[in-house]
Amino acid sequence: MKSLRVLTGITTSGTPHLGNYVGAIRPSVQASLRSEVQSFYFLADYHALIKVGEPERIQQSTLEIAATWLAAGLDPERVTFYRQSDIPEIPELTWFLTCMAGKGLLNRAHAYKAQLDKNLAAGADPDHDVSAGLFMYPVLMAADILMFKAHQVPVGRDQIQHIEMARDMAASFNHLYGPHLVLPEAAIEEQVATLPGLDGRKMSKSYDNTIALFGPTQTLRKQIASMVTDSRKPGEPKATEGSALFEIYRAFATAEETRALAQAYAHGIAWADAKQMLYERIEREVAPMRESYERLMADPGRIEDILRAGADKARRLSTPFMHELRQAVGLRRLGQSLKPAQAQTGGPKALLPGLKQYREEGKFYFKLVDGQGQLLLQSRAFDSPRAAGELVARLKQGDDSVLLEYAECLEPVSAPQALAQALQALREAAEAGPT
Ligand code: TRP
């Protein structure tokens, strides 16, 4: 059973390099293959607007990062893979959280404080180059996380503070409106490598020392040839310690291959030969992915379709959940009772929605219909009645992930209200005991 929800996003502001691949993309694709994990991966394009004012770059980066993730093996059937700006509930939740977040809390956020400190050091106005978007960055990020009830968010150390802030906002919301939001935790991957760049410093766009992940193979060869090494001659033993070349090799190689290179260093391998080994080793892992990357890049329409399908899936959760949150804060239909939940369960039985299990041509299904008999959810086919029955039970117990894994939502976006209400009524009835 997939009980742990893990969510992560990448800001669509640049072209993925080897450091991104080793530090973020490869481990997150590996994590998505764990059977107990339900993963959410998204392209943080609203976040990109905070620092990038070039529309073409945003679009291009979105395409490149999506293609990279897919080429690296992310399976959109298995995970929920979407674009932030396709989920209108995220900016809506951002506003709810904006009203929860203390300004003093946001004053301490790193991204904003870094700019502030820079301004102060330069003797400039403290607000110079600070958009309200930069200031609100952690709130948008909290909405990303809280919308999908993520338990864990794998991030680099620099992002831990943002996860803590998301927890704070969720706790304030829950305190005021009831336990609706799940408090997330940062998942720090200790053993994930930070890759050195061409000059030996951490590989980073801001140092201009990156190696593109999917550049042409000749570029990869040339970039590796240009790596900084010491001046030891062929035949002279070389130190692995502090060798960026060695570190990058290690990030791609098996333990055995790494030991072999260490031996070669000790035996005085020429730098040119070591570079050739590094090039070949990276190429071995990257070349097959580069092929699918190029195929994907040549077909942006296909990526668009994948992201749309991912957004549909994501919205099966976000639309009813946002409806629940709107009810919680008091954004309600005026005709409704002030306590809509109680009014519903107390209402006539005929109006209750129903979860029905049935059999058709040797397969087993379940469906959810509202009080008027309108079909809201239709499951896939199952081989055994037990498989369908277990999901029905989980759905009744409040496990929304069933909506993602096994059900096909009909009209998920046009009837979110009906779906949210039906689920709520169903769960309250389940809590009240068997009927
Ligand atoms: N801030 C993250 C970064 O710059 C990207 C991001 C946006 C994110 N929203 C998120 C990461 C939610 C994890 C969860 O890399």
Side-chain angles (χ1 to χ4, degrees):
M1 180 166 147
K2 291 176 183 275
S3 47
L4 183 70
R5 274 187 308 274
V6 175
L7 173 145
T8 195
I10 297 188
T11 304
T12 57
S13 53
T15 299
H17 54 68
L18 283 186
N20 300 139
Y21 173 70
V22 167
I25 297 165
R26 192 172 61 184
S28 64
V29 170
Q30 277 163 1
S32 76
L33 300 174
R34 283 164 50 194
S35 61
E36 76 282 14
V37 171
Q38 185 173 53
S39 331
F40 295 79
Y41 294 87
F42 70 98
L43 303 153
D45 52 353
Y46 281 139
H47 276 99
L49 296 182
I50 293 171
K51 46 183 175 178
V52 181
E54 302 148 64
E56 288 74 26
R57 200 164 125 215
I58 300 258
Q59 186 187 18
Q60 180 67 17
S61 172
T62 304
L63 180 63
E64 288 174 353
I65 293 174
T68 300
W69 243 333
L70 293 168
L74 197 71
D75 177 0
E77 293 292 322
R78 213 187 151 98
V79 307
T80 307
F81 178 49
Y82 56 99
R83 177 169 46 196
Q84 188 185 29
S85 65
D86 283 338
I87 316 295
E89 291 80 17
I90 288 176
E92 193 174 355
L93 180 55
T94 300
W95 180 250
F96 286 17
L97 298 174
T98 301
C99 299
M100 291 292 117
K103 180 172 175 290
L105 177 84
L106 297 177
N107 282 340
R108 294 195 294 275
H110 293 319
Y112 160 69
K113 261 197 100 230
Q115 183 63 38
L116 181 72
D117 293 344
K118 200 169 130 191
N119 290 339
L120 294 178
D125 183 297
D127 292 333
H128 176 72
D129 239 8
V130 177
S131 68
L134 178 64
F135 191 68
M136 298 294 295
Y137 184 112
V139 187
L140 178 57
M141 184 158 162
D144 292 331
I145 296 168
L146 301 175
M147 176 56 77
F148 295 102
K149 303 181 185 169
H151 301 110
Q152 283 188 3
V153 186
V155 285
R157 300 206 158 272
D158 58 326
Q159 297 283 328
I160 297 178
Q161 187 201 36
H162 291 146
I163 314 298
E164 296 295 324
M165 289 182 164
R167 281 180 76 87
D168 287 346
M169 289 176 230
S172 308
F173 187 97
N174 288 349
H175 182 70
L176 196 55
Y177 298 116
H180 295 275
L181 302 174
V182 171
L183 306 197
E185 268 170 24
I188 304 301
E189 311 231 8
E190 299 291 351
Q191 76 292 28
V192 164
T194 7
L195 220 56
L198 292 169
D199 57 0
R201 290 185 292 173
K202 174 184 176 206
M203 190 179 290
S204 159
K205 208 169 54 180
S206 39
Y207 293 148
D208 198 22
N209 65 354
T210 63
I211 303 176
L213 173 57
F214 293 132
T217 181
Q218 308 88 294
T219 310
L220 179 64
R221 188 193 287 272
K222 268 192 220 141
Q223 284 186 315
I224 290 174
S226 77
M227 279 185 71
V228 178
T229 56
D230 62 28
S231 56
R232 296 212 172 99
K233 305 231 156 24
E236 275 183 70
K238 296 172 174 65
T240 54
E241 179 104 14
S243 164
L245 201 158
F246 188 79
E247 279 310 310
I248 300 179
Y249 188 84
R250 201 218 311 255
F252 285 86
T254 62
E256 205 177 316
E257 290 168 326
T258 305
R259 268 196 303 277
L261 183 64
Q263 283 245 315
Y265 265 55
H267 293 143
I269 186 175
W271 283 125
D273 294 336
K275 285 175 173 176
Q276 178 64 21
M277 276 178 76
L278 175 62
Y279 162 71
E280 282 171 11
R281 188 61 192 82
I282 295 177
E283 189 62 9
R284 180 139 56 96
E285 181 159 335
V286 165
M289 292 191 286
R290 185 192 289 119
E291 258 179 51
S292 50
Y293 177 80
E294 280 167 2
R295 240 178 292 126
L296 285 158
M297 288 298 286
D299 194 359
R302 180 157 159 240
I303 297 186
E304 182 63 33
D305 289 346
I306 291 172
L307 291 176
R308 295 271 179 123
D312 281 350
K313 215 162 131 186
R315 293 196 73 199
R316 285 178 212 166
L317 297 180
S318 63
T319 323
F321 188 42
M322 199 60 219
H323 176 75
E324 175 189 323
L325 297 178
R326 291 179 64 107
Q327 299 297 304
V329 302
L331 305 182
R332 302 174 184 154
R333 292 278 168 83
L334 295 183
Q336 271 173 12
S337 147
L338 287 179
K339 301 253 183 227
Q342 283 170 18
Q344 278 228 350
T345 40
K349 191 132 202 222
L351 288 180
L352 275 181
L355 251 179
K356 304 202 167 73
Q357 281 179 254
Y358 61 99
R359 178 188 179 142
E360 222 171 76
E361 294 178 1
K363 296 276 182 192
F364 299 87
Y365 301 84
F366 64 86
K367 65 181 177 182
L368 175 64
V369 293
D370 71 6
Q372 281 77 47
Q374 190 198 343
L375 186 57
L376 298 171
L377 266 181
Q378 164 70 61
S379 83
R380 302 185 189 172
F382 297 95
D383 291 331
S384 77
R386 239 184 88 205
E390 271 167 23
L391 290 169
V392 166
R394 277 172 57 191
L395 198 58
K396 280 188 184 166
Q397 282 155 17
D399 182 354
D400 282 339
S401 64
V402 173
L403 301 178
L404 275 190
E405 286 173 58
Y406 302 107
E408 271 173 37
C409 250
L410 298 170
E411 312 283 347
V413 175
S414 64
Q417 183 144 340
L419 178 59
Q421 277 171 358
L423 287 174
Q424 191 184 354
L426 208 75
R427 286 163 185 176
E428 275 165 10
E431 247 169 54
T435 45

PDB file of all heavy atoms in Angstrom, residues 366-387:
ATOM      1  N   PHE A 366     -15.975  -0.601  -8.795  1.00  0.00           N
ATOM      2  CA  PHE A 366     -16.836   0.153  -7.886  1.00  0.00           C
ATOM      3  C   PHE A 366     -17.102   1.517  -8.499  1.00  0.00           C
ATOM      4  O   PHE A 366     -16.369   1.972  -9.375  1.00  0.00           O
ATOM      5  CB  PHE A 366     -16.224   0.293  -6.482  1.00  0.00           C
ATOM      6  CG  PHE A 366     -14.940   1.077  -6.419  1.00  0.00           C
ATOM      7  CD1 PHE A 366     -14.961   2.458  -6.302  1.00  0.00           C
ATOM      8  CD2 PHE A 366     -13.703   0.436  -6.454  1.00  0.00           C
ATOM      9  CE1 PHE A 366     -13.774   3.178  -6.219  1.00  0.00           C
ATOM     10  CE2 PHE A 366     -12.523   1.145  -6.387  1.00  0.00           C
ATOM     11  CZ  PHE A 366     -12.555   2.522  -6.259  1.00  0.00           C
ATOM     12  N   LYS A 367     -18.161   2.141  -8.053  1.00  0.00           N
ATOM     13  CA  LYS A 367     -18.436   3.497  -8.528  1.00  0.00           C
ATOM     14  C   LYS A 367     -19.072   4.305  -7.418  1.00  0.00           C
ATOM     15  O   LYS A 367     -19.656   3.756  -6.481  1.00  0.00           O
ATOM     16  CB  LYS A 367     -19.326   3.471  -9.763  1.00  0.00           C
ATOM     17  CG  LYS A 367     -20.708   2.932  -9.533  1.00  0.00           C
ATOM     18  CD  LYS A 367     -21.486   2.941 -10.836  1.00  0.00           C
ATOM     19  CE  LYS A 367     -22.870   2.338 -10.634  1.00  0.00           C
ATOM     20  NZ  LYS A 367     -23.632   2.286 -11.887  1.00  0.00           N
ATOM     21  N   LEU A 368     -18.928   5.595  -7.551  1.00  0.00           N
ATOM     22  CA  LEU A 368     -19.511   6.511  -6.568  1.00  0.00           C
ATOM     23  C   LEU A 368     -20.557   7.345  -7.297  1.00  0.00           C
ATOM     24  O   LEU A 368     -20.262   7.960  -8.329  1.00  0.00           O
ATOM     25  CB  LEU A 368     -18.406   7.415  -6.005  1.00  0.00           C
ATOM     26  CG  LEU A 368     -18.826   8.522  -5.049  1.00  0.00           C
ATOM     27  CD1 LEU A 368     -19.430   7.962  -3.774  1.00  0.00           C
ATOM     28  CD2 LEU A 368     -17.622   9.400  -4.695  1.00  0.00           C
ATOM     29  N   VAL A 369     -21.776   7.340  -6.771  1.00  0.00           N
ATOM     30  CA  VAL A 369     -22.821   8.186  -7.349  1.00  0.00           C
ATOM     31  C   VAL A 369     -23.355   9.121  -6.271  1.00  0.00           C
ATOM     32  O   VAL A 369     -23.340   8.796  -5.091  1.00  0.00           O
ATOM     33  CB  VAL A 369     -23.996   7.348  -7.921  1.00  0.00           C
ATOM     34  CG1 VAL A 369     -23.540   6.539  -9.117  1.00  0.00           C
ATOM     35  CG2 VAL A 369     -24.571   6.433  -6.850  1.00  0.00           C
ATOM     36  N   ASP A 370     -23.773  10.293  -6.674  1.00  0.00           N
ATOM     37  CA  ASP A 370     -24.299  11.217  -5.663  1.00  0.00           C
ATOM     38  C   ASP A 370     -25.776  10.908  -5.399  1.00  0.00           C
ATOM     39  O   ASP A 370     -26.337   9.958  -5.952  1.00  0.00           O
ATOM     40  CB  ASP A 370     -24.065  12.671  -6.077  1.00  0.00           C
ATOM     41  CG  ASP A 370     -24.937  13.109  -7.248  1.00  0.00           C
ATOM     42  OD1 ASP A 370     -25.820  12.328  -7.678  1.00  0.00           O
ATOM     43  OD2 ASP A 370     -24.728  14.231  -7.722  1.00  0.00           O
ATOM     44  N   GLY A 371     -26.380  11.714  -4.523  1.00  0.00           N
ATOM     45  CA  GLY A 371     -27.754  11.455  -4.098  1.00  0.00           C
ATOM     46  C   GLY A 371     -28.751  11.432  -5.248  1.00  0.00           C
ATOM     47  O   GLY A 371     -29.779  10.765  -5.185  1.00  0.00           O
ATOM     48  N   GLN A 372     -28.409  12.165  -6.313  1.00  0.00           N
ATOM     49  CA  GLN A 372     -29.315  12.193  -7.468  1.00  0.00           C
ATOM     50  C   GLN A 372     -28.982  11.090  -8.476  1.00  0.00           C
ATOM     51  O   GLN A 372     -29.555  11.039  -9.557  1.00  0.00           O
ATOM     52  CB  GLN A 372     -29.240  13.548  -8.190  1.00  0.00           C
ATOM     53  CG  GLN A 372     -30.027  14.665  -7.513  1.00  0.00           C
ATOM     54  CD  GLN A 372     -29.293  15.198  -6.300  1.00  0.00           C
ATOM     55  OE1 GLN A 372     -28.100  15.478  -6.371  1.00  0.00           O
ATOM     56  NE2 GLN A 372     -29.987  15.315  -5.185  1.00  0.00           N
ATOM     57  N   GLY A 373     -28.016  10.272  -8.126  1.00  0.00           N
ATOM     58  CA  GLY A 373     -27.663   9.176  -9.033  1.00  0.00           C
ATOM     59  C   GLY A 373     -26.627   9.568 -10.076  1.00  0.00           C
ATOM     60  O   GLY A 373     -26.290   8.782 -10.953  1.00  0.00           O
ATOM     61  N   GLN A 374     -26.093  10.783  -9.988  1.00  0.00           N
ATOM     62  CA  GLN A 374     -25.075  11.196 -10.959  1.00  0.00           C
ATOM     63  C   GLN A 374     -23.761  10.469 -10.661  1.00  0.00           C
ATOM     64  O   GLN A 374     -23.318  10.393  -9.515  1.00  0.00           O
ATOM     65  CB  GLN A 374     -24.838  12.708 -10.862  1.00  0.00           C
ATOM     66  CG  GLN A 374     -23.974  13.241 -12.000  1.00  0.00           C
ATOM     67  CD  GLN A 374     -23.371  14.610 -11.673  1.00  0.00           C
ATOM     68  OE1 GLN A 374     -23.822  15.294 -10.760  1.00  0.00           O
ATOM     69  NE2 GLN A 374     -22.339  14.999 -12.405  1.00  0.00           N
ATOM     70  N   LEU A 375     -23.149   9.942 -11.714  1.00  0.00           N
ATOM     71  CA  LEU A 375     -21.896   9.205 -11.555  1.00  0.00           C
ATOM     72  C   LEU A 375     -20.749  10.181 -11.309  1.00  0.00           C
ATOM     73  O   LEU A 375     -20.529  11.110 -12.083  1.00  0.00           O
ATOM     74  CB  LEU A 375     -21.636   8.409 -12.836  1.00  0.00           C
ATOM     75  CG  LEU A 375     -20.445   7.468 -12.834  1.00  0.00           C
ATOM     76  CD1 LEU A 375     -20.536   6.461 -11.702  1.00  0.00           C
ATOM     77  CD2 LEU A 375     -20.351   6.746 -14.174  1.00  0.00           C
ATOM     78  N   LEU A 376     -20.015   9.965 -10.212  1.00  0.00           N
ATOM     79  CA  LEU A 376     -18.922  10.880  -9.874  1.00  0.00           C
ATOM     80  C   LEU A 376     -17.554  10.230 -10.055  1.00  0.00           C
ATOM     81  O   LEU A 376     -16.574  10.895 -10.372  1.00  0.00           O
ATOM     82  CB  LEU A 376     -19.054  11.341  -8.420  1.00  0.00           C
ATOM     83  CG  LEU A 376     -20.315  12.131  -8.089  1.00  0.00           C
ATOM     84  CD1 LEU A 376     -20.415  12.323  -6.589  1.00  0.00           C
ATOM     85  CD2 LEU A 376     -20.324  13.460  -8.808  1.00  0.00           C
ATOM     86  N   LEU A 377     -17.490   8.979  -9.800  1.00  0.00           N
ATOM     87  CA  LEU A 377     -16.225   8.258  -9.862  1.00  0.00           C
ATOM     88  C   LEU A 377     -16.488   6.886 -10.418  1.00  0.00           C
ATOM     89  O   LEU A 377     -17.470   6.255 -10.056  1.00  0.00           O
ATOM     90  CB  LEU A 377     -15.688   8.014  -8.451  1.00  0.00           C
ATOM     91  CG  LEU A 377     -14.732   8.930  -7.787  1.00  0.00           C
ATOM     92  CD1 LEU A 377     -14.407   8.338  -6.422  1.00  0.00           C
ATOM     93  CD2 LEU A 377     -13.468   9.092  -8.580  1.00  0.00           C
ATOM     94  N   GLN A 378     -15.571   6.437 -11.252  1.00  0.00           N
ATOM     95  CA  GLN A 378     -15.720   5.102 -11.821  1.00  0.00           C
ATOM     96  C   GLN A 378     -14.376   4.406 -11.677  1.00  0.00           C
ATOM     97  O   GLN A 378     -13.363   4.958 -12.116  1.00  0.00           O
ATOM     98  CB  GLN A 378     -16.107   5.261 -13.296  1.00  0.00           C
ATOM     99  CG  GLN A 378     -15.940   4.042 -14.129  1.00  0.00           C
ATOM    100  CD  GLN A 378     -16.962   2.982 -13.753  1.00  0.00           C
ATOM    101  OE1 GLN A 378     -18.160   3.205 -13.870  1.00  0.00           O
ATOM    102  NE2 GLN A 378     -16.475   1.860 -13.260  1.00  0.00           N
ATOM    103  N   SER A 379     -14.333   3.253 -11.069  1.00  0.00           N
ATOM    104  CA  SER A 379     -13.043   2.593 -10.884  1.00  0.00           C
ATOM    105  C   SER A 379     -12.596   1.900 -12.161  1.00  0.00           C
ATOM    106  O   SER A 379     -13.378   1.714 -13.083  1.00  0.00           O
ATOM    107  CB  SER A 379     -13.110   1.563  -9.762  1.00  0.00           C
ATOM    108  OG  SER A 379     -13.643   0.347 -10.245  1.00  0.00           O
ATOM    109  N   ARG A 380     -11.329   1.505 -12.158  1.00  0.00           N
ATOM    110  CA  ARG A 380     -10.841   0.612 -13.198  1.00  0.00           C
ATOM    111  C   ARG A 380     -11.374  -0.787 -12.927  1.00  0.00           C
ATOM    112  O   ARG A 380     -11.985  -1.030 -11.891  1.00  0.00           O
ATOM    113  CB  ARG A 380      -9.323   0.508 -13.130  1.00  0.00           C
ATOM    114  CG  ARG A 380      -8.602   1.776 -13.268  1.00  0.00           C
ATOM    115  CD  ARG A 380      -7.124   1.406 -13.305  1.00  0.00           C
ATOM    116  NE  ARG A 380      -6.313   2.603 -13.226  1.00  0.00           N
ATOM    117  CZ  ARG A 380      -5.002   2.560 -13.084  1.00  0.00           C
ATOM    118  NH1 ARG A 380      -4.396   1.384 -12.976  1.00  0.00           N
ATOM    119  NH2 ARG A 380      -4.313   3.666 -13.031  1.00  0.00           N
ATOM    120  N   ALA A 381     -11.045  -1.692 -13.806  1.00  0.00           N
ATOM    121  CA  ALA A 381     -11.455  -3.084 -13.618  1.00  0.00           C
ATOM    122  C   ALA A 381     -10.469  -3.803 -12.700  1.00  0.00           C
ATOM    123  O   ALA A 381      -9.266  -3.591 -12.797  1.00  0.00           O
ATOM    124  CB  ALA A 381     -11.511  -3.787 -14.966  1.00  0.00           C
ATOM    125  N   PHE A 382     -11.003  -4.642 -11.802  1.00  0.00           N
ATOM    126  CA  PHE A 382     -10.152  -5.450 -10.928  1.00  0.00           C
ATOM    127  C   PHE A 382     -10.462  -6.927 -11.152  1.00  0.00           C
ATOM    128  O   PHE A 382     -11.573  -7.280 -11.520  1.00  0.00           O
ATOM    129  CB  PHE A 382     -10.412  -5.108  -9.463  1.00  0.00           C
ATOM    130  CG  PHE A 382     -10.064  -3.691  -9.130  1.00  0.00           C
ATOM    131  CD1 PHE A 382     -11.044  -2.709  -9.145  1.00  0.00           C
ATOM    132  CD2 PHE A 382      -8.762  -3.331  -8.840  1.00  0.00           C
ATOM    133  CE1 PHE A 382     -10.719  -1.391  -8.861  1.00  0.00           C
ATOM    134  CE2 PHE A 382      -8.441  -2.021  -8.552  1.00  0.00           C
ATOM    135  CZ  PHE A 382      -9.420  -1.047  -8.570  1.00  0.00           C
ATOM    136  N   ASP A 383      -9.451  -7.750 -10.877  1.00  0.00           N
ATOM    137  CA  ASP A 383      -9.652  -9.179 -11.087  1.00  0.00           C
ATOM    138  C   ASP A 383     -10.414  -9.842  -9.946  1.00  0.00           C
ATOM    139  O   ASP A 383     -11.048 -10.857 -10.144  1.00  0.00           O
ATOM    140  CB  ASP A 383      -8.297  -9.879 -11.259  1.00  0.00           C
ATOM    141  CG  ASP A 383      -7.658  -9.474 -12.576  1.00  0.00           C
ATOM    142  OD1 ASP A 383      -8.428  -9.173 -13.519  1.00  0.00           O
ATOM    143  OD2 ASP A 383      -6.419  -9.425 -12.664  1.00  0.00           O
ATOM    144  N   SER A 384     -10.289  -9.253  -8.744  1.00  0.00           N
ATOM    145  CA  SER A 384     -10.978  -9.896  -7.626  1.00  0.00           C
ATOM    146  C   SER A 384     -11.869  -8.883  -6.921  1.00  0.00           C
ATOM    147  O   SER A 384     -11.577  -7.687  -6.916  1.00  0.00           O
ATOM    148  CB  SER A 384      -9.955 -10.438  -6.625  1.00  0.00           C
ATOM    149  OG  SER A 384      -9.437  -9.370  -5.849  1.00  0.00           O
ATOM    150  N   PRO A 385     -12.969  -9.364  -6.318  1.00  0.00           N
ATOM    151  CA  PRO A 385     -13.838  -8.448  -5.576  1.00  0.00           C
ATOM    152  C   PRO A 385     -13.113  -7.875  -4.363  1.00  0.00           C
ATOM    153  O   PRO A 385     -13.406  -6.774  -3.914  1.00  0.00           O
ATOM    154  CB  PRO A 385     -15.019  -9.332  -5.156  1.00  0.00           C
ATOM    155  CG  PRO A 385     -14.567 -10.738  -5.294  1.00  0.00           C
ATOM    156  CD  PRO A 385     -13.455 -10.754  -6.299  1.00  0.00           C
ATOM    157  N   ARG A 386     -12.128  -8.640  -3.858  1.00  0.00           N
ATOM    158  CA  ARG A 386     -11.411  -8.168  -2.679  1.00  0.00           C
ATOM    159  C   ARG A 386     -10.600  -6.925  -2.976  1.00  0.00           C
ATOM    160  O   ARG A 386     -10.573  -5.978  -2.195  1.00  0.00           O
ATOM    161  CB  ARG A 386     -10.490  -9.276  -2.165  1.00  0.00           C
ATOM    162  CG  ARG A 386     -10.831  -9.654  -0.748  1.00  0.00           C
ATOM    163  CD  ARG A 386      -9.869 -10.671  -0.218  1.00  0.00           C
ATOM    164  NE  ARG A 386      -8.725 -10.028   0.383  1.00  0.00           N
ATOM    165  CZ  ARG A 386      -7.537 -10.606   0.495  1.00  0.00           C
ATOM    166  NH1 ARG A 386      -7.345 -11.805   0.015  1.00  0.00           N
ATOM    167  NH2 ARG A 386      -6.553  -9.965   1.074  1.00  0.00           N
ATOM    168  N   ALA A 387      -9.947  -6.924  -4.149  1.00  0.00           N
ATOM    169  CA  ALA A 387      -9.130  -5.771  -4.523  1.00  0.00           C
ATOM    170  C   ALA A 387     -10.000  -4.518  -4.578  1.00  0.00           C
ATOM    171  O   ALA A 387      -9.629  -3.463  -4.054  1.00  0.00           O
ATOM    172  CB  ALA A 387      -8.457  -6.032  -5.864  1.00  0.00           C
TER     173      ALA A 387
END
